[in-house]
Amino acid sequence: MSSKATIDDGPARRELVDRLASDGFVLLHELCGSEMVKSVLGVSRRRAREVREALGDREIGIGSAAGYVEIVQRSPGRWDVPITPQQFGFVEHEMPWWWLISAVLGEDAEHSFSGVVSSEPGSPAQYWHTDSPHEAPEHRPAHAINVLVALHDVPMAMGPTECALGSHFLTNHLGNPSLVLDELIYQHAGTSPSSLVNGAQCPVPESVAEPMAAGTCLVFDDRLLHRGLANRSNTTRHVAYFSYRRKGYSVNTHFESQRSVFAEAT
């Protein structure tokens, strides 16, 4: 499910657009150069340190509703700190993946949010989940796309993201009454690739995870079933993310808290 990312010709790009639609994800090897990766990692570490210092020893639950505007604990030991493209020092439409985003979501696609997810050593694998719901009982083209950028080499021991191949066709709770929306989006222990096909005459989606070299990008449909794997190394894993939506789409299940860690710290 991967491709070399020095792709400039139309047919090769068309193939990636089609693969994203059919598989729900594509892996673009070393799309981002070393200077870009170094810059993003530096900004990410500085902002994460600032926010964690403001949080101090206060308790924070799991999930966006239990977090803060500036930090969410997605699962135990897995911290999500929002950072805007401007804070990263980027012009959105000059990102190396923008051609793929605009091909799928349109030239008027909008930035939703971006930041860094840091997975501490010993953090367990997440439960399988999607990031947003389907809009209609029938399958429609993607309404949101995510780009994950490895900010250093991420071997299997460090816990790269695992994807269920083609599962964005099967996560539609509007078309399958056996699926429960909250259990898809909010990391429920009973959700898995096999739970999507209970009683259905179709195979269980294949689970795919690969090590990621620094600068490699995982691009996936927001409705795809996926999870971050356990970090079994002794090093924190840092992955930047950039999320986009079709113009006019506004559902937010990513950052739901309205409280500020800085307001409470003063």
Side-chain angles (χ1 to χ4, degrees):
M1 300 309 113
S2 60
S3 175
K4 283 293 181 184
T6 53
I7 296 174
D8 297 315
D9 60 290
R13 288 189 171 191
R14 184 71 250 172
E15 180 184 352
L16 286 172
V17 171
D18 291 343
R19 192 190 304 167
L20 180 57
S22 62
D23 294 353
F25 69 97
V26 292
L27 192 66
L28 304 178
H29 288 283
E30 299 176 64
L31 179 66
C32 303
S34 59
E35 288 303 312
M36 179 180 179
V37 170
K38 180 180 178 181
S39 175
V40 173
L41 180 58
V43 172
S44 297
R45 283 175 166 163
R46 287 193 296 272
R47 179 58 176 170
R49 182 168 57 249
E50 178 184 28
V51 172
R52 291 293 293 271
E53 287 176 354
L55 177 65
D57 58 1
R58 282 174 288 174
E59 292 290 331
I60 182 171
I62 303 296
S64 63
Y68 293 82
V69 172
E70 302 87 359
I71 186 168
V72 172
Q73 188 174 197
R74 295 295 177 188
S75 58
R78 192 178 303 266
W79 301 93
D80 185 342
V81 175
I83 303 171
T84 68
Q86 292 73 28
Q87 288 173 312
F88 277 126
F90 294 149
V91 176
E92 291 178 27
H93 291 187
E94 295 179 3
M95 301 293 216
W97 52 77
W98 176 251
W99 65 268
L100 181 53
I101 300 302
S102 60
V104 175
L105 301 178
E107 291 289 346
D108 58 353
E110 300 172 336
H111 171 266
S112 296
F113 29 74
S114 50
V116 63
V117 174
S118 302
S119 174
E120 297 174 342
S123 58
Q126 291 180 296
Y127 293 130
W128 288 97
H129 62 282
T130 65
D131 286 339
S132 65
H134 286 254
E135 300 178 282
E138 69 277 4
H139 187 79
R140 292 182 176 179
H143 56 252
I145 296 293
N146 304 299
V147 180
L148 302 185
V149 184
L151 299 183
H152 45 72
D153 291 346
V154 180
M156 293 304 297
M158 201 174 280
T161 299
E162 184 175 29
C163 300
L165 182 65
S167 59
H168 57 311
F169 290 104
L170 301 172
T171 56
N172 192 339
H173 71 291
L174 298 173
N176 182 352
S178 71
L179 299 178
V180 178
L181 177 58
D182 282 358
E183 293 181 0
L184 288 170
I185 292 179
Y186 295 113
Q187 296 194 44
H188 186 269
T191 300
S192 68
S194 61
S195 71
L196 300 179
V197 298
N198 282 341
Q201 298 301 311
C202 58
V204 175
E206 177 186 357
S207 299
V208 179
E210 296 183 27
M212 298 172 68
T216 295
C217 297
L218 173 64
V219 185
F220 65 95
D221 189 308
D222 218 41
R223 303 165 297 179
L224 187 79
L225 201 69
H226 65 283
R227 63 175 180 169
L229 293 175
N231 187 349
R232 296 179 284 103
S233 75
N234 59 4
T235 304
T236 297
R237 186 208 74 173
H238 301 288
V239 176
Y241 64 88
F242 298 84
S243 298
Y244 303 88
R245 61 177 179 261
R246 186 188 65 242
K247 185 176 177 61
Y249 183 80
S250 60
V251 173
N252 178 17
T253 58
H254 299 76
F255 293 98
E256 298 170 281
S257 175
Q258 299 302 308
R259 60 178 179 164
S260 170
V261 69
F262 295 104
E264 295 194 13
T266 58

